Amino acid sequence: MVILFVTFIVILTFAVKFVSKTSLFHIIEQCYQSFLDRFYTYQFYKVPRQVDNQCLQQNQLYLKLTTYINSLPLLEDTDFITLFNDSKSNDILIHAGTRHGMIVKDRFLGAKVSWIHDENDDCWVLKMRKADKCRVLRSYLQHILSVADEIIQRRRSKDIMLFMNLGYDDHDRRRNGRWRSLVFNHPSTFETIVMDSELKNKVKSDLEMFLKSKHYYNRLGRVWKRSYMLYGESRSEKSSLIAAMARFLCYDVYYVNMGSIRDESDLMLLVLQTTPRSVIVVEDLDNLVMDKSLSTRVIERIIYCCAEERIMIFTMNNKDESVVIGSAQIDFEIEFLCCDFNTFKEVAVSCLGVKEHKLFTQVEEIFQHGSVQISPSEVADIMISNRSSNTRALRCVISAMQLEIDNHEERLRNRSGKVLVPVAESESGGLFCKENVNLVNDFKSLYGFLRVGSRRKDDSLDFDNSTHQEKLLKSSSR
């Protein structure tokens, strides 16, 4: 009898092991769970991806919930998961898949809950026993938010994300929103950026003050945000400063592609979809729009729509041609000037490790006696290309500076039709030339002609339709 019993136990054990490795065990488990569900009453909560049916704004709870679910240890037991390779290591990352009906189980304070993915409505559905609802629901949701915030903060300390907007007519926007992201790999920091040291410290101090001012803004009833305007020609380190600011703050970067924006309302809705702790960037604003009043409205709309904990950065190529922004619109203006001798020495220390050199005297004389239109970034590129020899690198910089002076004088001759003849040096080292007054007048005439011509061009965006119609109505009424 004992032998039969032992034999039965052994056979039963092998049978259970065999069944556990087949789909039959899964079917039995589902049937058992379905049987138990008949004795409990469940409450269901839907967490949609979009706040509304028009897909105008993403649900922040959905994004944080997805981050939380991807961190669950029980995620590996689900039927369908997605594997990724970390870009900075060989680790395999496990994410929840988007298969319809996929179930992820979780436990909190002794309560069993399940998250079910509904692909048709593009949402997560929380399944919880009604008996546990009053006891754990609110604390469980707070737990999800705190864990997700901690994960996002750890991720931002390592990786900053760059978001770029899709076109309004893109078919995928309704499902996943207008923004697409990738890891922001720009290496610039405040330690490596080439700019005036005093200005750099002012920017850092301003950002530090902003990070500490949340309660101050709330006490005044103001939105906790800040705006910057960067002026400077191309290759003047504007993009590097933006990257340095984002890394200093550990904020994600949202790059607004104005060419993919339909109208003013579309721009406002796009800004509303950005997340907290982000930098919103609109580059080369003066090249994207031709009308100054239109440029002002673009800035106003972005600043108006931005919620808390956001930095807005606008860039323009030329401050003289830019929109005159009141102090109520832009909080901090930064102008990137051409390279001077002090900046040159900082670049030399950074790129070559050279604090003093016999050729520095010649470089200083060129800066004193000539109009050198060269950016610190261009000087750095020359030094980096010739870094094997400090002397050769400095001589190449001198040649580039001299060539730039010659090209600048040639451009002046072509524009004015007059030859510049240096006749004397001022005490400050500048050059006087004959017919200087006539040259300035010629420049003013040329600048006025260009301004008149630019006003006749059509706007590249449709933001100005309403203003144009108002002007037509006023003219017709007169």
mmCIF file with all atom_site columns, all heavy atoms in Angstrom, residues 194-196 199 231-233 235-238 317 319 334-340 343 372-377:
data_model
loop_
_atom_site.group_PDB
_atom_site.id
_atom_site.type_symbol
_atom_site.label_atom_id
_atom_site.label_alt_id
_atom_site.label_comp_id
_atom_site.label_asym_id
_atom_site.label_entity_id
_atom_site.label_seq_id
_atom_site.pdbx_PDB_ins_code
_atom_site.Cartn_x
_atom_site.Cartn_y
_atom_site.Cartn_z
_atom_site.occupancy
_atom_site.B_iso_or_equiv
_atom_site.pdbx_formal_charge
_atom_site.auth_seq_id
_atom_site.auth_comp_id
_atom_site.auth_asym_id
_atom_site.auth_atom_id
_atom_site.pdbx_PDB_model_num
ATOM 1   N N   . VAL A 1 194 ? 32.547 77.932 -24.756 1.00 0.00 ? 194 VAL A N   1
ATOM 2   C CA  . VAL A 1 194 ? 33.442 79.072 -24.977 1.00 0.00 ? 194 VAL A CA  1
ATOM 3   C C   . VAL A 1 194 ? 32.606 80.344 -24.992 1.00 0.00 ? 194 VAL A C   1
ATOM 4   O O   . VAL A 1 194 ? 31.892 80.631 -25.946 1.00 0.00 ? 194 VAL A O   1
ATOM 5   C CB  . VAL A 1 194 ? 34.206 78.934 -26.311 1.00 0.00 ? 194 VAL A CB  1
ATOM 6   C CG1 . VAL A 1 194 ? 35.096 80.140 -26.546 1.00 0.00 ? 194 VAL A CG1 1
ATOM 7   C CG2 . VAL A 1 194 ? 35.021 77.648 -26.320 1.00 0.00 ? 194 VAL A CG2 1
ATOM 8   N N   . MET A 1 195 ? 32.667 81.112 -23.899 1.00 0.00 ? 195 MET A N   1
ATOM 9   C CA  . MET A 1 195 ? 31.974 82.392 -23.809 1.00 0.00 ? 195 MET A CA  1
ATOM 10  C C   . MET A 1 195 ? 32.591 83.197 -22.677 1.00 0.00 ? 195 MET A C   1
ATOM 11  O O   . MET A 1 195 ? 33.413 82.682 -21.905 1.00 0.00 ? 195 MET A O   1
ATOM 12  C CB  . MET A 1 195 ? 30.471 82.193 -23.578 1.00 0.00 ? 195 MET A CB  1
ATOM 13  C CG  . MET A 1 195 ? 30.118 81.511 -22.294 1.00 0.00 ? 195 MET A CG  1
ATOM 14  S SD  . MET A 1 195 ? 28.322 81.230 -22.091 1.00 0.00 ? 195 MET A SD  1
ATOM 15  C CE  . MET A 1 195 ? 27.698 82.910 -22.082 1.00 0.00 ? 195 MET A CE  1
ATOM 16  N N   . ASP A 1 196 ? 32.222 84.453 -22.599 1.00 0.00 ? 196 ASP A N   1
ATOM 17  C CA  . ASP A 1 196 ? 32.779 85.335 -21.584 1.00 0.00 ? 196 ASP A CA  1
ATOM 18  C C   . ASP A 1 196 ? 32.521 84.772 -20.190 1.00 0.00 ? 196 ASP A C   1
ATOM 19  O O   . ASP A 1 196 ? 31.389 84.363 -19.866 1.00 0.00 ? 196 ASP A O   1
ATOM 20  C CB  . ASP A 1 196 ? 32.161 86.732 -21.716 1.00 0.00 ? 196 ASP A CB  1
ATOM 21  C CG  . ASP A 1 196 ? 32.710 87.712 -20.704 1.00 0.00 ? 196 ASP A CG  1
ATOM 22  O OD1 . ASP A 1 196 ? 33.872 88.112 -20.845 1.00 0.00 ? 196 ASP A OD1 1
ATOM 23  O OD2 . ASP A 1 196 ? 31.965 88.058 -19.766 1.00 0.00 ? 196 ASP A OD2 1
ATOM 24  N N   . LEU A 1 199 ? 29.784 86.604 -18.133 1.00 0.00 ? 199 LEU A N   1
ATOM 25  C CA  . LEU A 1 199 ? 28.445 86.317 -18.631 1.00 0.00 ? 199 LEU A CA  1
ATOM 26  C C   . LEU A 1 199 ? 28.037 84.889 -18.289 1.00 0.00 ? 199 LEU A C   1
ATOM 27  O O   . LEU A 1 199 ? 26.881 84.620 -17.933 1.00 0.00 ? 199 LEU A O   1
ATOM 28  C CB  . LEU A 1 199 ? 28.398 86.542 -20.142 1.00 0.00 ? 199 LEU A CB  1
ATOM 29  C CG  . LEU A 1 199 ? 27.065 86.259 -20.843 1.00 0.00 ? 199 LEU A CG  1
ATOM 30  C CD1 . LEU A 1 199 ? 25.962 87.134 -20.267 1.00 0.00 ? 199 LEU A CD1 1
ATOM 31  C CD2 . LEU A 1 199 ? 27.188 86.477 -22.347 1.00 0.00 ? 199 LEU A CD2 1
ATOM 32  N N   . TYR A 1 231 ? 21.096 86.224 -28.821 1.00 0.00 ? 231 TYR A N   1
ATOM 33  C CA  . TYR A 1 231 ? 21.425 86.883 -30.076 1.00 0.00 ? 231 TYR A CA  1
ATOM 34  C C   . TYR A 1 231 ? 22.824 86.453 -30.503 1.00 0.00 ? 231 TYR A C   1
ATOM 35  O O   . TYR A 1 231 ? 23.739 86.392 -29.686 1.00 0.00 ? 231 TYR A O   1
ATOM 36  C CB  . TYR A 1 231 ? 21.416 88.405 -29.932 1.00 0.00 ? 231 TYR A CB  1
ATOM 37  C CG  . TYR A 1 231 ? 20.120 88.996 -29.433 1.00 0.00 ? 231 TYR A CG  1
ATOM 38  C CD1 . TYR A 1 231 ? 19.968 89.362 -28.099 1.00 0.00 ? 231 TYR A CD1 1
ATOM 39  C CD2 . TYR A 1 231 ? 19.051 89.194 -30.291 1.00 0.00 ? 231 TYR A CD2 1
ATOM 40  C CE1 . TYR A 1 231 ? 18.793 89.911 -27.637 1.00 0.00 ? 231 TYR A CE1 1
ATOM 41  C CE2 . TYR A 1 231 ? 17.868 89.746 -29.841 1.00 0.00 ? 231 TYR A CE2 1
ATOM 42  C CZ  . TYR A 1 231 ? 17.748 90.105 -28.511 1.00 0.00 ? 231 TYR A CZ  1
ATOM 43  O OH  . TYR A 1 231 ? 16.577 90.639 -28.065 1.00 0.00 ? 231 TYR A OH  1
ATOM 44  N N   . GLY A 1 232 ? 23.003 86.216 -31.778 1.00 0.00 ? 232 GLY A N   1
ATOM 45  C CA  . GLY A 1 232 ? 24.335 85.891 -32.276 1.00 0.00 ? 232 GLY A CA  1
ATOM 46  C C   . GLY A 1 232 ? 24.278 85.226 -33.633 1.00 0.00 ? 232 GLY A C   1
ATOM 47  O O   . GLY A 1 232 ? 23.323 84.524 -33.959 1.00 0.00 ? 232 GLY A O   1
ATOM 48  N N   . GLU A 1 233 ? 25.315 85.446 -34.425 1.00 0.00 ? 233 GLU A N   1
ATOM 49  C CA  . GLU A 1 233 ? 25.402 84.822 -35.737 1.00 0.00 ? 233 GLU A CA  1
ATOM 50  C C   . GLU A 1 233 ? 25.587 83.315 -35.598 1.00 0.00 ? 233 GLU A C   1
ATOM 51  O O   . GLU A 1 233 ? 25.807 82.796 -34.499 1.00 0.00 ? 233 GLU A O   1
ATOM 52  C CB  . GLU A 1 233 ? 26.573 85.427 -36.535 1.00 0.00 ? 233 GLU A CB  1
ATOM 53  C CG  . GLU A 1 233 ? 26.438 86.915 -36.816 1.00 0.00 ? 233 GLU A CG  1
ATOM 54  C CD  . GLU A 1 233 ? 25.314 87.220 -37.786 1.00 0.00 ? 233 GLU A CD  1
ATOM 55  O OE1 . GLU A 1 233 ? 24.889 86.290 -38.521 1.00 0.00 ? 233 GLU A OE1 1
ATOM 56  O OE2 . GLU A 1 233 ? 24.851 88.369 -37.832 1.00 0.00 ? 233 GLU A OE2 1
ATOM 57  N N   . ARG A 1 235 ? 27.242 79.695 -35.573 1.00 0.00 ? 235 ARG A N   1
ATOM 58  C CA  . ARG A 1 235 ? 28.516 79.254 -35.006 1.00 0.00 ? 235 ARG A CA  1
ATOM 59  C C   . ARG A 1 235 ? 28.981 80.175 -33.880 1.00 0.00 ? 235 ARG A C   1
ATOM 60  O O   . ARG A 1 235 ? 30.181 80.362 -33.680 1.00 0.00 ? 235 ARG A O   1
ATOM 61  C CB  . ARG A 1 235 ? 29.605 79.151 -36.078 1.00 0.00 ? 235 ARG A CB  1
ATOM 62  C CG  . ARG A 1 235 ? 29.291 78.150 -37.165 1.00 0.00 ? 235 ARG A CG  1
ATOM 63  C CD  . ARG A 1 235 ? 30.404 78.114 -38.196 1.00 0.00 ? 235 ARG A CD  1
ATOM 64  N NE  . ARG A 1 235 ? 31.684 77.796 -37.574 1.00 0.00 ? 235 ARG A NE  1
ATOM 65  C CZ  . ARG A 1 235 ? 32.084 76.580 -37.242 1.00 0.00 ? 235 ARG A CZ  1
ATOM 66  N NH1 . ARG A 1 235 ? 31.296 75.554 -37.467 1.00 0.00 ? 235 ARG A NH1 1
ATOM 67  N NH2 . ARG A 1 235 ? 33.262 76.383 -36.685 1.00 0.00 ? 235 ARG A NH2 1
ATOM 68  N N   . SER A 1 236 ? 28.041 80.740 -33.158 1.00 0.00 ? 236 SER A N   1
ATOM 69  C CA  . SER A 1 236 ? 28.401 81.625 -32.049 1.00 0.00 ? 236 SER A CA  1
ATOM 70  C C   . SER A 1 236 ? 28.086 80.999 -30.695 1.00 0.00 ? 236 SER A C   1
ATOM 71  O O   . SER A 1 236 ? 27.865 81.695 -29.713 1.00 0.00 ? 236 SER A O   1
ATOM 72  C CB  . SER A 1 236 ? 27.673 82.968 -32.179 1.00 0.00 ? 236 SER A CB  1
ATOM 73  O OG  . SER A 1 236 ? 26.272 82.788 -32.205 1.00 0.00 ? 236 SER A OG  1
ATOM 74  N N   . GLU A 1 237 ? 28.008 79.673 -30.640 1.00 0.00 ? 237 GLU A N   1
ATOM 75  C CA  . GLU A 1 237 ? 27.852 78.929 -29.391 1.00 0.00 ? 237 GLU A CA  1
ATOM 76  C C   . GLU A 1 237 ? 26.453 79.045 -28.785 1.00 0.00 ? 237 GLU A C   1
ATOM 77  O O   . GLU A 1 237 ? 26.269 78.720 -27.606 1.00 0.00 ? 237 GLU A O   1
ATOM 78  C CB  . GLU A 1 237 ? 28.898 79.395 -28.355 1.00 0.00 ? 237 GLU A CB  1
ATOM 79  C CG  . GLU A 1 237 ? 30.334 79.112 -28.734 1.00 0.00 ? 237 GLU A CG  1
ATOM 80  C CD  . GLU A 1 237 ? 30.683 77.633 -28.678 1.00 0.00 ? 237 GLU A CD  1
ATOM 81  O OE1 . GLU A 1 237 ? 30.222 76.943 -27.773 1.00 0.00 ? 237 GLU A OE1 1
ATOM 82  O OE2 . GLU A 1 237 ? 31.422 77.176 -29.550 1.00 0.00 ? 237 GLU A OE2 1
ATOM 83  N N   . LYS A 1 238 ? 25.458 79.464 -29.556 1.00 0.00 ? 238 LYS A N   1
ATOM 84  C CA  . LYS A 1 238 ? 24.097 79.531 -29.001 1.00 0.00 ? 238 LYS A CA  1
ATOM 85  C C   . LYS A 1 238 ? 23.585 78.130 -28.669 1.00 0.00 ? 238 LYS A C   1
ATOM 86  O O   . LYS A 1 238 ? 23.040 77.899 -27.579 1.00 0.00 ? 238 LYS A O   1
ATOM 87  C CB  . LYS A 1 238 ? 23.150 80.227 -29.986 1.00 0.00 ? 238 LYS A CB  1
ATOM 88  C CG  . LYS A 1 238 ? 23.498 81.680 -30.289 1.00 0.00 ? 238 LYS A CG  1
ATOM 89  C CD  . LYS A 1 238 ? 22.372 82.397 -30.997 1.00 0.00 ? 238 LYS A CD  1
ATOM 90  C CE  . LYS A 1 238 ? 22.009 81.779 -32.345 1.00 0.00 ? 238 LYS A CE  1
ATOM 91  N NZ  . LYS A 1 238 ? 23.078 81.924 -33.345 1.00 0.00 ? 238 LYS A NZ  1
ATOM 92  N N   . ASN A 1 317 ? 19.576 85.783 -35.027 1.00 0.00 ? 317 ASN A N   1
ATOM 93  C CA  . ASN A 1 317 ? 20.920 85.969 -35.564 1.00 0.00 ? 317 ASN A CA  1
ATOM 94  C C   . ASN A 1 317 ? 21.469 87.366 -35.326 1.00 0.00 ? 317 ASN A C   1
ATOM 95  O O   . ASN A 1 317 ? 22.661 87.528 -35.096 1.00 0.00 ? 317 ASN A O   1
ATOM 96  C CB  . ASN A 1 317 ? 20.929 85.659 -37.067 1.00 0.00 ? 317 ASN A CB  1
ATOM 97  C CG  . ASN A 1 317 ? 20.691 84.199 -37.353 1.00 0.00 ? 317 ASN A CG  1
ATOM 98  O OD1 . ASN A 1 317 ? 21.122 83.331 -36.591 1.00 0.00 ? 317 ASN A OD1 1
ATOM 99  N ND2 . ASN A 1 317 ? 19.984 83.895 -38.426 1.00 0.00 ? 317 ASN A ND2 1
ATOM 100 N N   . LYS A 1 319 ? 20.807 91.128 -33.407 1.00 0.00 ? 319 LYS A N   1
ATOM 101 C CA  . LYS A 1 319 ? 20.033 91.892 -32.442 1.00 0.00 ? 319 LYS A CA  1
ATOM 102 C C   . LYS A 1 319 ? 19.452 93.154 -33.060 1.00 0.00 ? 319 LYS A C   1
ATOM 103 O O   . LYS A 1 319 ? 18.358 93.586 -32.704 1.00 0.00 ? 319 LYS A O   1
ATOM 104 C CB  . LYS A 1 319 ? 20.910 92.252 -31.242 1.00 0.00 ? 319 LYS A CB  1
ATOM 105 C CG  . LYS A 1 319 ? 20.129 92.911 -30.102 1.00 0.00 ? 319 LYS A CG  1
ATOM 106 C CD  . LYS A 1 319 ? 20.999 93.113 -28.885 1.00 0.00 ? 319 LYS A CD  1
ATOM 107 C CE  . LYS A 1 319 ? 20.190 93.704 -27.739 1.00 0.00 ? 319 LYS A CE  1
ATOM 108 N NZ  . LYS A 1 319 ? 21.005 93.878 -26.522 1.00 0.00 ? 319 LYS A NZ  1
ATOM 109 N N   . ILE A 1 334 ? 20.840 87.568 -23.861 1.00 0.00 ? 334 ILE A N   1
ATOM 110 C CA  . ILE A 1 334 ? 22.265 87.247 -23.971 1.00 0.00 ? 334 ILE A CA  1
ATOM 111 C C   . ILE A 1 334 ? 22.697 87.497 -25.405 1.00 0.00 ? 334 ILE A C   1
ATOM 112 O O   . ILE A 1 334 ? 22.108 86.947 -26.340 1.00 0.00 ? 334 ILE A O   1
ATOM 113 C CB  . ILE A 1 334 ? 22.534 85.775 -23.593 1.00 0.00 ? 334 ILE A CB  1
ATOM 114 C CG1 . ILE A 1 334 ? 22.027 85.487 -22.183 1.00 0.00 ? 334 ILE A CG1 1
ATOM 115 C CG2 . ILE A 1 334 ? 24.017 85.447 -23.715 1.00 0.00 ? 334 ILE A CG2 1
ATOM 116 C CD1 . ILE A 1 334 ? 22.082 84.015 -21.806 1.00 0.00 ? 334 ILE A CD1 1
ATOM 117 N N   . GLU A 1 335 ? 23.715 88.319 -25.568 1.00 0.00 ? 335 GLU A N   1
ATOM 118 C CA  . GLU A 1 335 ? 24.230 88.610 -26.904 1.00 0.00 ? 335 GLU A CA  1
ATOM 119 C C   . GLU A 1 335 ? 25.621 87.997 -27.055 1.00 0.00 ? 335 GLU A C   1
ATOM 120 O O   . GLU A 1 335 ? 26.517 88.248 -26.235 1.00 0.00 ? 335 GLU A O   1
ATOM 121 C CB  . GLU A 1 335 ? 24.298 90.116 -27.147 1.00 0.00 ? 335 GLU A CB  1
ATOM 122 C CG  . GLU A 1 335 ? 24.750 90.477 -28.558 1.00 0.00 ? 335 GLU A CG  1
ATOM 123 C CD  . GLU A 1 335 ? 24.735 91.963 -28.826 1.00 0.00 ? 335 GLU A CD  1
ATOM 124 O OE1 . GLU A 1 335 ? 24.501 92.739 -27.874 1.00 0.00 ? 335 GLU A OE1 1
ATOM 125 O OE2 . GLU A 1 335 ? 24.970 92.355 -29.986 1.00 0.00 ? 335 GLU A OE2 1
ATOM 126 N N   . PHE A 1 336 ? 25.794 87.201 -28.100 1.00 0.00 ? 336 PHE A N   1
ATOM 127 C CA  . PHE A 1 336 ? 27.087 86.583 -28.395 1.00 0.00 ? 336 PHE A CA  1
ATOM 128 C C   . PHE A 1 336 ? 27.839 87.480 -29.375 1.00 0.00 ? 336 PHE A C   1
ATOM 129 O O   . PHE A 1 336 ? 27.477 87.602 -30.541 1.00 0.00 ? 336 PHE A O   1
ATOM 130 C CB  . PHE A 1 336 ? 26.885 85.196 -29.003 1.00 0.00 ? 336 PHE A CB  1
ATOM 131 C CG  . PHE A 1 336 ? 26.405 84.178 -28.026 1.00 0.00 ? 336 PHE A CG  1
ATOM 132 C CD1 . PHE A 1 336 ? 25.059 84.081 -27.716 1.00 0.00 ? 336 PHE A CD1 1
ATOM 133 C CD2 . PHE A 1 336 ? 27.292 83.326 -27.399 1.00 0.00 ? 336 PHE A CD2 1
ATOM 134 C CE1 . PHE A 1 336 ? 24.603 83.143 -26.810 1.00 0.00 ? 336 PHE A CE1 1
ATOM 135 C CE2 . PHE A 1 336 ? 26.848 82.377 -26.491 1.00 0.00 ? 336 PHE A CE2 1
ATOM 136 C CZ  . PHE A 1 336 ? 25.500 82.294 -26.192 1.00 0.00 ? 336 PHE A CZ  1
ATOM 137 N N   . LEU A 1 337 ? 28.885 88.117 -28.881 1.00 0.00 ? 337 LEU A N   1
ATOM 138 C CA  . LEU A 1 337 ? 29.683 89.004 -29.702 1.00 0.00 ? 337 LEU A CA  1
ATOM 139 C C   . LEU A 1 337 ? 30.814 88.228 -30.373 1.00 0.00 ? 337 LEU A C   1
ATOM 140 O O   . LEU A 1 337 ? 31.069 87.060 -30.072 1.00 0.00 ? 337 LEU A O   1
ATOM 141 C CB  . LEU A 1 337 ? 30.248 90.129 -28.844 1.00 0.00 ? 337 LEU A CB  1
ATOM 142 C CG  . LEU A 1 337 ? 29.224 90.989 -28.102 1.00 0.00 ? 337 LEU A CG  1
ATOM 143 C CD1 . LEU A 1 337 ? 29.924 91.983 -27.192 1.00 0.00 ? 337 LEU A CD1 1
ATOM 144 C CD2 . LEU A 1 337 ? 28.305 91.708 -29.082 1.00 0.00 ? 337 LEU A CD2 1
ATOM 145 N N   . CYS A 1 338 ? 31.481 88.921 -31.297 1.00 0.00 ? 338 CYS A N   1
ATOM 146 C CA  . CYS A 1 338 ? 32.634 88.297 -31.953 1.00 0.00 ? 338 CYS A CA  1
ATOM 147 C C   . CYS A 1 338 ? 33.763 88.115 -30.951 1.00 0.00 ? 338 CYS A C   1
ATOM 148 O O   . CYS A 1 338 ? 33.789 88.728 -29.879 1.00 0.00 ? 338 CYS A O   1
ATOM 149 C CB  . CYS A 1 338 ? 33.089 89.149 -33.133 1.00 0.00 ? 338 CYS A CB  1
ATOM 150 S SG  . CYS A 1 338 ? 31.888 89.244 -34.472 1.00 0.00 ? 338 CYS A SG  1
ATOM 151 N N   . CYS A 1 339 ? 34.691 87.289 -31.326 1.00 0.00 ? 339 CYS A N   1
ATOM 152 C CA  . CYS A 1 339 ? 35.800 86.968 -30.439 1.00 0.00 ? 339 CYS A CA  1
ATOM 153 C C   . CYS A 1 339 ? 36.670 88.194 -30.196 1.00 0.00 ? 339 CYS A C   1
ATOM 154 O O   . CYS A 1 339 ? 36.981 88.959 -31.117 1.00 0.00 ? 339 CYS A O   1
ATOM 155 C CB  . CYS A 1 339 ? 36.631 85.836 -31.053 1.00 0.00 ? 339 CYS A CB  1
ATOM 156 S SG  . CYS A 1 339 ? 37.945 85.216 -29.980 1.00 0.00 ? 339 CYS A SG  1
ATOM 157 N N   . ASP A 1 340 ? 37.074 88.410 -28.942 1.00 0.00 ? 340 ASP A N   1
ATOM 158 C CA  . ASP A 1 340 ? 38.050 89.437 -28.605 1.00 0.00 ? 340 ASP A CA  1
ATOM 159 C C   . ASP A 1 340 ? 39.294 88.756 -28.019 1.00 0.00 ? 340 ASP A C   1
ATOM 160 O O   . ASP A 1 340 ? 39.358 87.522 -27.937 1.00 0.00 ? 340 ASP A O   1
ATOM 161 C CB  . ASP A 1 340 ? 37.469 90.475 -27.645 1.00 0.00 ? 340 ASP A CB  1
ATOM 162 C CG  . ASP A 1 340 ? 36.935 89.848 -26.371 1.00 0.00 ? 340 ASP A CG  1
ATOM 163 O OD1 . ASP A 1 340 ? 37.263 88.669 -26.105 1.00 0.00 ? 340 ASP A OD1 1
ATOM 164 O OD2 . ASP A 1 340 ? 36.185 90.519 -25.630 1.00 0.00 ? 340 ASP A OD2 1
ATOM 165 N N   . THR A 1 343 ? 38.684 86.571 -24.850 1.00 0.00 ? 343 THR A N   1
ATOM 166 C CA  . THR A 1 343 ? 38.036 85.304 -25.199 1.00 0.00 ? 343 THR A CA  1
ATOM 167 C C   . THR A 1 343 ? 39.008 84.391 -25.937 1.00 0.00 ? 343 THR A C   1
ATOM 168 O O   . THR A 1 343 ? 39.002 83.168 -25.740 1.00 0.00 ? 343 THR A O   1
ATOM 169 C CB  . THR A 1 343 ? 36.800 85.562 -26.065 1.00 0.00 ? 343 THR A CB  1
ATOM 170 O OG1 . THR A 1 343 ? 35.948 86.505 -25.414 1.00 0.00 ? 343 THR A OG1 1
ATOM 171 C CG2 . THR A 1 343 ? 36.027 84.284 -26.325 1.00 0.00 ? 343 THR A CG2 1
ATOM 172 N N   . VAL A 1 372 ? 37.826 92.265 -36.610 1.00 0.00 ? 372 VAL A N   1
ATOM 173 C CA  . VAL A 1 372 ? 37.895 90.822 -36.786 1.00 0.00 ? 372 VAL A CA  1
ATOM 174 C C   . VAL A 1 372 ? 36.502 90.233 -36.544 1.00 0.00 ? 372 VAL A C   1
ATOM 175 O O   . VAL A 1 372 ? 36.022 90.187 -35.416 1.00 0.00 ? 372 VAL A O   1
ATOM 176 C CB  . VAL A 1 372 ? 38.918 90.184 -35.829 1.00 0.00 ? 372 VAL A CB  1
ATOM 177 C CG1 . VAL A 1 372 ? 39.015 88.686 -36.087 1.00 0.00 ? 372 VAL A CG1 1
ATOM 178 C CG2 . VAL A 1 372 ? 40.268 90.861 -35.983 1.00 0.00 ? 372 VAL A CG2 1
ATOM 179 N N   . GLN A 1 373 ? 35.847 89.815 -37.600 1.00 0.00 ? 373 GLN A N   1
ATOM 180 C CA  . GLN A 1 373 ? 34.511 89.214 -37.493 1.00 0.00 ? 373 GLN A CA  1
ATOM 181 C C   . GLN A 1 373 ? 34.645 87.693 -37.472 1.00 0.00 ? 373 GLN A C   1
ATOM 182 O O   . GLN A 1 373 ? 34.313 87.001 -38.421 1.00 0.00 ? 373 GLN A O   1
ATOM 183 C CB  . GLN A 1 373 ? 33.642 89.663 -38.675 1.00 0.00 ? 373 GLN A CB  1
ATOM 184 C CG  . GLN A 1 373 ? 33.483 91.152 -38.804 1.00 0.00 ? 373 GLN A CG  1
ATOM 185 C CD  . GLN A 1 373 ? 32.678 91.754 -37.657 1.00 0.00 ? 373 GLN A CD  1
ATOM 186 O OE1 . GLN A 1 373 ? 31.758 91.122 -37.156 1.00 0.00 ? 373 GLN A OE1 1
ATOM 187 N NE2 . GLN A 1 373 ? 33.040 92.957 -37.250 1.00 0.00 ? 373 GLN A NE2 1
ATOM 188 N N   . ILE A 1 374 ? 35.139 87.174 -36.356 1.00 0.00 ? 374 ILE A N   1
ATOM 189 C CA  . ILE A 1 374 ? 35.325 85.743 -36.210 1.00 0.00 ? 374 ILE A CA  1
ATOM 190 C C   . ILE A 1 374 ? 34.779 85.317 -34.851 1.00 0.00 ? 374 ILE A C   1
ATOM 191 O O   . ILE A 1 374 ? 34.938 86.034 -33.857 1.00 0.00 ? 374 ILE A O   1
ATOM 192 C CB  . ILE A 1 374 ? 36.821 85.369 -36.362 1.00 0.00 ? 374 ILE A CB  1
ATOM 193 C CG1 . ILE A 1 374 ? 36.985 83.848 -36.422 1.00 0.00 ? 374 ILE A CG1 1
ATOM 194 C CG2 . ILE A 1 374 ? 37.663 85.963 -35.255 1.00 0.00 ? 374 ILE A CG2 1
ATOM 195 C CD1 . ILE A 1 374 ? 38.394 83.412 -36.809 1.00 0.00 ? 374 ILE A CD1 1
ATOM 196 N N   . SER A 1 375 ? 34.113 84.193 -34.817 1.00 0.00 ? 375 SER A N   1
ATOM 197 C CA  . SER A 1 375 ? 33.474 83.745 -33.578 1.00 0.00 ? 375 SER A CA  1
ATOM 198 C C   . SER A 1 375 ? 34.442 82.893 -32.756 1.00 0.00 ? 375 SER A C   1
ATOM 199 O O   . SER A 1 375 ? 35.388 82.302 -33.301 1.00 0.00 ? 375 SER A O   1
ATOM 200 C CB  . SER A 1 375 ? 32.219 82.927 -33.899 1.00 0.00 ? 375 SER A CB  1
ATOM 201 O OG  . SER A 1 375 ? 32.565 81.707 -34.531 1.00 0.00 ? 375 SER A OG  1
ATOM 202 N N   . PRO A 1 376 ? 34.242 82.808 -31.449 1.00 0.00 ? 376 PRO A N   1
ATOM 203 C CA  . PRO A 1 376 ? 35.085 81.943 -30.626 1.00 0.00 ? 376 PRO A CA  1
ATOM 204 C C   . PRO A 1 376 ? 35.030 80.480 -31.070 1.00 0.00 ? 376 PRO A C   1
ATOM 205 O O   . PRO A 1 376 ? 36.021 79.758 -30.961 1.00 0.00 ? 376 PRO A O   1
ATOM 206 C CB  . PRO A 1 376 ? 34.500 82.120 -29.222 1.00 0.00 ? 376 PRO A CB  1
ATOM 207 C CG  . PRO A 1 376 ? 33.836 83.452 -29.246 1.00 0.00 ? 376 PRO A CG  1
ATOM 208 C CD  . PRO A 1 376 ? 33.305 83.603 -30.635 1.00 0.00 ? 376 PRO A CD  1
ATOM 209 N N   . SER A 1 377 ? 33.873 80.040 -31.585 1.00 0.00 ? 377 SER A N   1
ATOM 210 C CA  . SER A 1 377 ? 33.756 78.658 -32.045 1.00 0.00 ? 377 SER A CA  1
ATOM 211 C C   . SER A 1 377 ? 34.663 78.389 -33.237 1.00 0.00 ? 377 SER A C   1
ATOM 212 O O   . SER A 1 377 ? 35.272 77.311 -33.337 1.00 0.00 ? 377 SER A O   1
ATOM 213 C CB  . SER A 1 377 ? 32.301 78.358 -32.398 1.00 0.00 ? 377 SER A CB  1
ATOM 214 O OG  . SER A 1 377 ? 32.158 77.044 -32.872 1.00 0.00 ? 377 SER A OG  1
#
